[in-house]
Amino acid sequence: MTSKPLDLDAVRAFIHVAELDSFTRAAEAMETTQAAVSLRVQRLERRVGHQLFERTPRYVKLSPHGVAFLERARELVDAHERALAVFGEARQRIAIGISDHVAGPDLPTLIARLTTQDPQLLIKIKIGSSGDLLQSYDRRELDAVIARMNLGRDDGEVLAQESFGWFAGAGWQPRAGEPLPVAMSAEPCGVRAMAGRLLDTAGIPWIETFVGGGVSAVAAAVSAGLGVAALAPRMLPLGAIDVGAKLRLPKIPHLPILLHTRIQGGPAHDLLTTLSAAFRSAVRA
């Protein structure tokens, strides 16, 4: 092996593919083409002398050599950014709001990755309801918001369309002759309003049996057998089952996830691009 240094763009491409499990979504995060990402990864593989990914038409995953190289690749890119930061300006701040119904179980891992993207970028994350976050955005308290579509707004970029279903805990059974027990998030919540509206339109008697402060609380109520809830599959608690067809409940339409932002360029824009690609990946999975 020669002493020729590694191409940092190729290393970045490798990291994006490894984290997003897709050349296509890595291209979205890097704002380039899939062919360009593939070419960079192939160039890196030739440089290190090992295959870094196992590829099939259905999936992409790290090879054993790729697993061993990933952490070192992150350290290399991080060291490069920290070196450049010596000549940079004061730390830039970015405040991002993420809807509780959008955040999902992968949020902690995602935030950990984002914080290593640019050492000079101070990231503030706020979790809340879509309505509250958009109000904060309009007051310029937040630079960007990722939320579900809010009625009366069309100023966001659609990141993904997420499916929903009616879910209950394993072994839960409705009681004959009684209203459908429903677990919901507290107001204001677009999913809560939509679920109630769908049940009313279908003429299905229902009653709130649990009101939680977020999706995790609603999922816990479902696990405890307190009733059914309108949830996205990626938010499901262990053992939850879809009871919509069995109970003849109305079909829940796909709901769009939107990015609202006034950021135009720079490291903050790069971070939002990575975050957007990661959310697309999570929803599609």
Side-chain angles (χ1 to χ4, degrees):
M1 184 179 296
T2 69
S3 59
K4 181 180 178 182
L6 296 177
D7 179 346
L8 281 174
D9 286 337
V11 175
R12 288 191 181 95
F14 161 74
I15 293 171
H16 279 294
V17 175
E19 292 181 345
L20 297 172
D21 297 320
S22 166
F23 280 83
T24 300
R25 291 190 283 274
E28 292 175 0
M30 300 183 72
E31 296 187 302
T32 186
T33 64
Q34 180 178 341
V37 172
S38 181
L39 184 62
R40 289 172 184 171
V41 171
Q42 290 173 11
R43 186 188 308 140
L44 180 63
E45 289 179 324
R46 288 195 298 269
R47 171 64 186 84
V48 300
H50 294 285
Q51 182 177 331
L52 300 176
F53 291 104
E54 296 177 0
R55 308 168 177 85
T56 75
R58 297 179 62 87
Y59 71 84
V60 175
K61 71 175 184 178
L62 287 167
S63 69
H65 285 109
V67 172
F69 180 61
L70 180 58
E71 190 57 35
R72 294 291 183 265
R74 289 173 175 154
E75 291 173 358
L76 174 62
V77 172
D78 184 48
H80 176 264
E81 298 299 336
R82 283 188 284 108
L84 290 179
V86 172
F87 308 101
E89 301 175 354
R91 295 185 74 184
Q92 182 180 355
R93 296 169 180 261
I94 177 174
I96 306 172
I98 303 177
S99 166
D100 177 61
H101 267 279
V102 171
D106 296 324
L107 185 63
T109 301
L110 180 60
I111 292 176
R113 291 174 179 171
L114 292 180
T115 54
T116 63
Q117 182 163 335
D118 188 334
Q120 290 300 103
L121 191 60
L122 179 60
I123 306 169
K124 177 182 178 182
I125 301 289
K126 180 179 180 181
I127 305 297
S129 70
S130 296
D132 288 344
L133 294 176
L134 287 171
Q135 289 180 19
S136 295
Y137 176 75
D138 291 338
R139 293 193 298 265
R140 294 188 172 270
E141 297 169 356
L142 296 172
D143 302 303
V145 168
I146 296 178
R148 299 209 182 280
M149 179 173 285
N150 203 274
L151 292 178
R153 298 193 69 125
D154 58 0
D155 56 330
E157 172 196 351
V158 177
L159 299 182
Q161 298 280 350
E162 186 153 59
S163 63
F164 274 74
W166 297 99
F167 293 93
W172 178 85
Q173 294 292 333
R175 295 181 179 179
E178 294 187 6
L180 179 72
V182 181
M184 291 183 165
S185 293
E187 295 181 346
C189 172
V191 174
R192 169 196 173 94
M194 176 198 64
R197 186 169 57 251
L198 288 172
L199 292 173
D200 290 339
T201 301
I204 298 174
W206 62 280
I207 186 173
E208 285 182 344
T209 52
F210 178 87
V211 177
V215 176
S216 59
V218 173
V222 168
S223 292
L226 298 183
V228 304
L231 293 170
R234 66 189 178 96
M235 307 290 187
L236 293 182
L238 185 64
I241 57 174
D242 191 336
V243 296
K246 177 182 177 181
L247 300 182
R248 298 182 179 179
L249 300 180
K251 185 176 180 180
I252 303 176
H254 285 66
L255 296 181
I257 297 174
L258 276 70
L259 169 66
H260 303 264
T261 180
R262 57 179 62 92
I263 296 171
Q264 298 299 319
H269 175 267
D270 295 340
L271 181 141
L272 281 179
T273 302
T274 298
L275 187 61
S276 299
F279 270 110
R280 290 189 183 100
S281 178
V283 173
R284 290 169 185 167

